[in-house]
Amino acid sequence: MERLLTFDGKGIYCPRADVHIDPWEKVPKALITHGHSDHARWGMGAYLCTHESVPILQHRLGKTNRIQGIAFGENLFINGVKFSFHPAGHVIGSAQIRVEYKDEIWVVSGDYKLANDGISKAFEPVKCHTFITESTFGLPVYKWQNQTAIFDKVNTWWRKNQAEGRVSVITAYSLGKAQRLINGLDPSIGKIYTHGAIENTNSILREHNHFIQDTQFATASYNFKDYQGNMVVCPPSAANSNWVKKFKDFRLGIASGWMQMRGARRRRAADIGFILSDHADWNGLNTAIEATGANEIYVTHGFSRIYSQYLREQGYDAKIVETAFEGERLDSTEEEKIDQTT
Amino acid sequence: MKHFAQLFRQVDETNKTNEKVAALIAYFEKASDEDKLWTIALFSHRRPKRTVNTTLLRTWASEISGIPAWLFEESYHIVGDLAETISLVLPLPTKQSVLSLNEWILSIMNLKDKEEHEKRSFIIEAWNSLETAERFLFNKLITGGFRIGISQKLMSRALARYLKKEENEIAHRLMGDWSPTTTTFSDLLLNEHISADISRPYPFYLAYALETEPATLGSTQNWAAEWKWDGIRSQCIKRDNEVFIWSRGEDLITNRFPELIEMAQRLPDGVAIDGEILAVKEGTLLGFQALQKRIGRKTVGKKLLQDNPVIIRAYDLMEYEGKDIRELSYLKRRGYLKKIVHQMDHFSLILSENVPFSSWAELTNLRKKSRDLGTEGFMLKQLDSPYLSGRKKGDWWKWKVDPYTIDGILIYAQRGHGRRSNLYSDFTFAVWDEDRLVPFTKAYSGLTDAEFKEITAWVKKNTVERFGPVSSVKPMHVFELAFEGIQKSTRHKSGVALRFPRIKRWRKDKPIQEANTLSDLKSLIR
């Protein structure tokens, strides 16, 4: 008997409805969990995502009428298959996609985290029989502190750099992490400047009524004196480029879940690592999976081999799926991803 | 412990020397003498004896964290550090501790004769009262190995500034066979009686590699050349009629070399000779492997002594007639050294001769003979140079011959440790033996960070089989490997053992069919 969802080499596929979820090859109809470029790729015939994700996709894929929005919790029927989008808590607009037909319910989680970051709609567990989960941080060494504690560390570091007359530069993905971080900064310390990639995303989100603290685009017209004592938020790729050199006397911080490991911290030429991730940690993954009530689990990108083995020992029917999703990567950035399908 | 953890984090997270020094000084200004002494000891690889074995630590950590043992091991392979893995998998602590570094260390040492269940409850209680960063250090106190990028030079500089003393004096005081249980902070660093420890060696003078043509050094008149030998750099000391032999890594290795003790007992009192220990039998230089057998054994049997006898090839003299003569010129020190070697007239003490040359061109020509003589090239030393401590530029240079190279195929990969944890960085390479691939060496270094990332991504996708932490991969990539020496070996499948193998470059242009063969490799053996 054909399954409700399959993996056809182009993405997650629903044969009965003839739609793909987060496909990485060109297909006529794509349901998109969130706006990160490994999930929302260019070249699909039509896109369906949450209303919150629409402006993000339009910004990244170009203005087109092929992108359609849907509300969280709204039901959509395609050839008898019921689809609905539910908050995944990963970034603004991110959703888990629930798929139901007859007595079978699947949930494609996309990327997710359980903690409420204050800007993405908080994760909601959805009951299902089969759950497709990421495993970016699916190892018991990954455990996150709450974000208030992390923001305190960031602000303390900023104050110290300011006292020494330096610029503070932090890297964060331009969609999601950057806005989360900006809203966690204490604006009484100083000004927050942003790299163009982040400022563009910020202004689109602000236009759509998302609250993001005031930031200033770090244009060429400013000089060191303007930046001194202030904060600059940029995407990871900018930290390795000439762009960052204009800040002259600066300290570099990296906000990423990978900063949990000493080796990763030391390998980057950063001054400090802040352990801040938009993915679920070890406990988060286990809690989320348990809450679905699912027995069958498909594990994708990340530590899928190890994590699926662990789940099997816990009594789940867990399998690995090879996908082209990358999650938060240790050694590449949003802008320079290695195409894993080749 | 919090204070020490703060220091560790500051030093660990910067690669700027000045900041490391500043962090150390700030720490010394606040810490107790006991804590200071332990900090210096730990950062110079002097740690308390292990009182709990790592198998027990692993077992307890998995138990407390509620994860299966295999998952703990998988995590360890990825983190690349046992102490860190334990610190991360454990649940968050429910208590806080105010114990100092010294107090923690003493409690750990106290576990020595305790029953297993007593050790267990102590360790678990400790884990539950320390934060992740402190826990990591606590585990390190037990498992050892603080690789943190504080060189002896850096530590000496920080202490010199803190104590307002000369860096050289501090470096010297830090040498030798001391431990916080046998000395105090003031005895080690402040009190006048520096010679109280008669075994104390001098810091070695280490040279940088000459990257330019030797002609840039100016007139040949000011320079001496010695062959550069590949053995164990050592310091042979005789004081108060006692003999001490130190390795460059500051290990006391006297007992490994009975024949050298015998020789050194005839030395005049109050000398310290810098020289290379080499395995030489009946005038023939044996390879480094012969020497390795001698280092590996704590007790030296008769047969080993007969088969692999050693000598010292003397380079320099730091102490003469009980006086530190490091300030004298190379020429003067060598004058005394020659006198000693000549008077001794002993087959186990040979002078590292100056190679006569009248032009750099002549020396360049002579250098081509290096391999035939079993040397690695030349050491060039300025005639009026004092004996400095640590790695310094200008007066001494090593001028090595080009390494051997061979093109090998990547067949196994393993994740690295420390800075390279989470990346595949330990590789095994093979050469062709007809249509079979025979592994012949491992290599760890030589790729850029970007190349490590690239090969890591490739290994993840092309793993054929896993053996614990090791992945076998499809033979697809050719690497040019460089090494300093090659010898026959019965212990290796390929029948050869390499000296200092490393990756020279990734030959993306070469298909695997064009990699070298086992007979190419064997033809390099002399």
Side-chain angles (χ1 to χ4, degrees):
Chain A
M1 193 190 93
E2 193 168 53
R3 305 295 310 265
L4 180 55
L5 294 183
T6 60
F7 305 92
D8 70 348
K10 295 178 179 173
I12 302 168
Y13 180 57
C14 178
R16 186 162 180 91
D18 192 24
V19 295
H20 282 83
I21 298 175
D22 290 355
W24 50 84
E25 279 185 23
K26 289 179 190 175
V27 298
K29 285 179 233 156
L31 274 53
I32 303 294
T33 58
H34 65 283
H36 278 154
S37 57
D38 55 327
H39 291 258
R41 288 182 194 242
W42 187 83
M44 309 301 156
Y47 297 84
L48 179 71
C49 58
T50 61
H51 291 307
E52 286 85 345
S53 284
V54 171
I56 298 166
L57 262 67
Q58 280 174 341
H59 167 58
R60 299 195 154 203
L61 306 171
K63 289 253 181 212
T64 152
N65 55 11
R66 291 177 292 123
I67 302 170
Q68 200 189 323
I70 185 171
F72 280 110
E74 184 184 338
N75 291 329
L76 171 79
F77 289 89
I78 307 173
N79 195 19
V81 183
K82 186 163 104 180
F83 292 89
S84 55
F85 288 57
H86 305 268
H90 175 57
V91 295
I92 288 176
S94 70
Q96 313 172 66
I97 300 178
R98 181 183 182 277
V99 187
E100 180 181 352
Y101 181 71
K102 292 190 175 162
D103 292 332
E104 199 177 349
I105 303 169
W106 289 55
V107 169
V108 179
S109 68
D111 293 334
Y112 64 94
K113 70 171 177 288
L114 273 63
N116 184 354
D117 65 12
I119 50 165
S120 320
K121 224 167 178 317
F123 178 90
E124 284 173 16
V126 182
K127 292 278 175 205
C128 59
H129 304 109
T130 304
F131 186 62
I132 303 177
T133 184
E134 59 145 320
S135 60
T136 309
F137 292 106
L139 269 193
V141 295
Y142 292 108
K143 289 172 194 160
W144 312 147
Q145 278 187 296
N146 70 53
Q147 65 177 16
T148 321
I150 304 296
F151 294 148
D152 282 349
K153 286 181 189 168
V154 176
N155 287 318
T156 305
W157 176 72
W158 183 7
R159 281 194 195 91
K160 179 169 171 275
N161 294 339
Q162 188 176 55
E164 291 167 358
R166 296 196 167 98
V167 185
S168 302
V169 180
I170 293 197
T171 70
Y173 288 155
S174 52
L175 169 62
K177 187 82 64 69
Q179 291 75 32
R180 183 181 177 194
L181 183 75
I182 288 166
N183 282 1
L185 293 172
D186 178 354
S188 73
I189 303 173
K191 280 188 193 160
I192 305 166
Y193 287 91
T194 51
H195 180 273
I198 292 173
E199 195 53 37
N200 288 339
T201 308
N202 283 359
S203 53
I204 289 156
L205 293 171
R206 285 186 187 117
E207 276 170 35
H208 291 85
N209 300 321
H210 293 286
F211 172 74
I212 297 158
Q213 293 207 91
D214 286 346
T215 53
Q216 227 151 341
F217 179 23
T219 60
S221 60
Y222 297 108
N223 60 36
F224 176 67
K225 281 277 164 232
D226 298 306
Y227 294 119
Q228 202 176 17
N230 293 320
M231 172 69 75
V232 180
V233 185
C234 67
S237 59
N240 305 321
S241 70
N242 276 328
W243 180 84
V244 80
K245 291 191 181 136
K246 66 180 175 182
F247 303 111
K248 290 192 182 97
D249 191 6
F250 66 93
R251 285 293 138 104
L252 182 65
I254 294 179
S256 161
W258 297 108
M259 294 297 111
Q260 177 91 289
M261 275 197 226
R262 184 171 165 237
R265 284 200 299 276
R266 292 204 298 169
R267 192 157 61 235
R268 318 298 289 266
D271 298 297
I272 193 165
F274 299 105
I275 308 165
L276 187 71
S277 177
D278 284 328
H279 293 267
D281 65 1
W282 172 255
N283 294 328
L285 291 170
N286 292 327
T287 308
I289 288 170
E290 203 186 333
T292 63
N295 177 51
E296 187 182 40
I297 313 291
Y298 283 94
V299 183
T300 67
H301 58 290
F303 295 103
S304 47
R305 177 181 61 84
I306 297 171
Y307 190 51
S308 59
Q309 187 181 338
Y310 174 77
L311 289 175
R312 280 192 296 278
E313 283 188 10
Q314 305 307 305
Y316 293 100
D317 176 14
K319 297 156 198 152
I320 304 173
V321 207
E322 297 298 336
T323 63
F325 310 138
E326 297 162 353
E328 180 173 355
R329 293 177 55 109
L330 172 56
D331 291 311
S332 71
T333 64
E334 220 172 355
E335 283 75 15
E336 43 162 32
K337 283 181 175 173
I338 299 165
D339 187 359
Q340 295 209 342
T341 54
T342 54
Chain B
M1 193 72 151
K2 287 203 188 311
H3 192 193
F4 181 63
Q6 188 196 1
L7 167 73
F8 188 86
R9 189 178 54 75
Q10 285 173 341
V11 171
D12 197 37
E13 286 184 359
T14 178
N15 34 30
K16 300 180 183 83
T17 315
N18 284 340
E19 285 178 18
K20 289 186 186 186
V21 172
L24 280 167
I25 294 173
Y27 173 81
F28 290 140
E29 275 162 0
K30 279 198 280 177
S32 69
D33 276 4
E34 288 86 359
D35 280 9
K36 276 187 280 222
L37 189 60
W38 270 115
T39 301
I40 299 165
L42 293 170
F43 290 167
S44 59
H45 313 292
R46 291 171 173 87
R47 63 180 180 87
K49 280 220 173 68
R50 186 174 292 176
T51 53
V52 185
N53 71 47
T54 56
T55 315
L56 289 175
L57 292 178
R58 289 168 137 101
T59 312
W60 300 335
S62 319
E63 272 172 38
I64 305 290
S65 323
I67 57 169
W70 69 264
L71 183 54
F72 180 87
E73 291 304 313
E74 289 278 7
S75 304
Y76 169 46
H77 294 321
I78 288 160
V79 176
D81 183 293
L82 184 65
E84 187 182 357
T85 310
I86 295 174
S87 74
L88 293 174
V89 298
L90 292 169
L92 292 175
T94 59
K95 296 179 194 168
Q96 288 231 350
S97 152
V98 291
L99 292 188
S100 69
L101 174 65
N102 181 53
E103 287 165 325
W104 275 115
I105 292 174
L106 294 182
S107 331
I108 291 170
M109 286 162 68
N110 252 331
L111 293 176
K112 189 166 157 270
D113 299 316
K114 295 274 167 40
E115 298 290 327
E116 192 179 310
H117 71 271
E118 291 173 286
K119 291 184 181 180
R120 184 177 187 274
S121 48
F122 171 82
I123 298 280
I124 289 170
E125 180 64 20
W127 282 340
N128 191 31
S129 53
L130 296 165
E131 291 166 29
T132 311
E134 297 173 287
R135 241 183 221 164
F136 166 67
L137 295 169
F138 170 80
N139 294 337
K140 277 282 179 201
L141 292 176
I142 302 174
T143 61
F146 280 86
R147 286 160 174 251
I148 190 193
I150 295 192
S151 61
Q152 184 198 32
K153 191 162 143 186
L154 209 143
M155 177 58 85
S156 308
R157 188 182 307 168
L159 280 168
R161 289 211 198 139
Y162 165 63
L163 298 168
K164 304 195 172 48
K165 281 179 173 276
E166 284 293 311
E167 215 175 300
N168 273 348
E169 186 200 326
I170 299 288
H172 188 193
R173 281 174 178 268
L174 291 181
M175 297 288 289
D177 190 21
W178 61 271
S179 100
T181 50
T182 58
T183 187
T184 64
F185 183 75
S186 5
D187 275 350
L188 183 70
L189 290 158
L190 300 171
N191 293 354
E192 288 304 314
H193 314 289
I194 182 166
S195 57
D197 172 12
I198 60 162
S199 75
R200 194 192 304 266
Y202 294 95
F204 285 88
Y205 184 2
L206 307 170
Y208 276 94
L210 184 67
E211 310 278 2
T212 57
E213 288 302 310
T216 56
L217 299 176
S219 165
T220 56
Q221 303 269 315
N222 304 328
W223 292 86
E226 294 173 48
W227 291 110
K228 185 180 184 314
W229 299 95
D230 178 24
I232 303 168
R233 180 91 181 268
S234 66
Q235 199 170 134
C236 179
I237 295 170
K238 187 178 179 204
R239 289 180 190 134
D240 291 358
N241 282 315
E242 259 197 86
V243 173
F244 307 95
I245 302 173
W246 291 93
S247 72
R248 212 196 86 184
E250 272 187 77
D251 284 319
L252 200 51
I253 50 174
T254 324
N255 294 330
R256 312 279 162 93
F257 304 106
E259 68 266 62
L260 296 182
I261 301 178
E262 207 182 298
M263 174 277 290
Q265 266 155 357
R266 301 192 204 174
L267 281 169
D269 214 53
V271 297
I273 296 171
D274 176 359
E276 196 93 8
I277 299 179
L278 298 168
V280 176
K281 193 177 183 185
E282 287 150 15
T284 312
L285 181 69
L286 306 177
F288 192 81
Q289 263 193 309
L291 206 49
Q292 235 150 9
K293 282 186 188 151
R294 291 294 302 267
I295 312 166
R297 311 265 169 90
K298 282 221 164 131
T299 49
V300 190
K302 230 182 193 169
K303 181 156 189 328
L304 195 60
L305 262 175
Q306 254 169 24
D307 292 350
N308 303 321
V310 301
I311 60 145
I312 291 181
R313 203 172 263 276
Y315 295 134
D316 213 315
L317 191 67
M318 293 105 119
E319 187 173 311
Y320 185 57
E321 293 178 338
K323 278 196 235 56
D324 178 353
I325 58 161
R326 292 176 296 162
E327 288 297 313
L328 299 184
S329 71
Y330 173 78
L331 262 185
K332 285 215 171 116
R333 296 192 312 271
R334 290 272 297 188
Y336 293 129
L337 180 67
K338 273 182 204 161
K339 202 168 123 194
I340 292 173
V341 173
H342 183 73
Q343 280 170 353
M344 286 279 288
D345 191 21
H346 193 287
F347 58 89
S348 296
L349 184 66
I350 298 171
L351 185 73
S352 162
E353 300 284 357
N354 284 145
V355 178
F357 67 105
S358 51
S359 71
W360 292 116
E362 189 188 344
L363 198 64
T364 307
N365 230 353
L366 281 170
R367 181 164 159 264
K368 290 175 190 154
K369 286 194 200 161
S370 301
R371 293 249 188 254
D372 295 330
L373 294 170
T375 70
E376 300 181 295
F378 284 122
M379 287 297 303
L380 304 176
K381 299 174 180 178
Q382 189 125 250
L383 295 181
D384 58 4
S385 61
Y387 191 97
L388 302 174
S389 29
R391 205 173 284 283
K392 299 274 159 60
K393 274 189 180 162
D395 286 340
W396 287 18
W397 295 100
K398 51 183 178 195
W399 187 34
K400 290 179 34 166
V401 283
D402 293 336
Y404 295 103
T405 60
I406 209 103
D407 290 332
I409 301 163
L410 175 66
I411 55 167
Y412 300 114
Q414 185 175 352
R415 289 177 200 267
H417 291 261
R419 194 174 167 271
R420 296 209 202 113
S421 62
N422 218 352
L423 289 182
Y424 283 93
S425 71
D426 299 5
F427 304 112
T428 303
F429 298 93
V431 282
W432 292 107
D433 182 15
E434 296 187 351
D435 56 354
R436 285 184 324 128
L437 283 172
V438 183
F440 71 103
T441 190
K442 283 184 139 202
Y444 311 91
S445 61
L447 293 180
T448 62
D449 280 2
E451 285 171 325
F452 274 126
K453 283 177 204 167
E454 190 181 344
I455 197 74
T456 296
W458 182 84
V459 169
K460 282 183 184 165
K461 294 210 130 312
N462 291 279
T463 295
V464 179
E465 243 184 302
R466 270 172 233 279
F467 315 93
V470 179
S471 297
S472 75
V473 296
K474 284 181 208 155
M476 264 180 71
H477 291 291
V478 177
F479 289 82
E480 183 177 343
L481 299 149
F483 48 97
E484 298 300 323
I486 178 166
Q487 287 180 331
K488 280 188 194 148
S489 161
T490 48
R491 284 173 48 205
H492 296 83
K493 216 180 193 173
S494 59
V496 299
L498 307 189
R499 185 100 169 106
F500 295 132
R502 69 260 182 197
I503 300 166
K504 196 172 171 203
R505 57 190 163 136
W506 189 343
R507 294 298 303 260
K508 289 186 178 170
D509 56 320
K510 274 209 172 177
I512 57 168
Q513 292 75 17
E514 287 175 27
N516 281 108
T517 63
L518 190 58
S519 57
D520 294 340
L521 193 59
K522 285 185 170 164
S523 70
L524 298 174
I525 301 174
R526 279 161 206 262

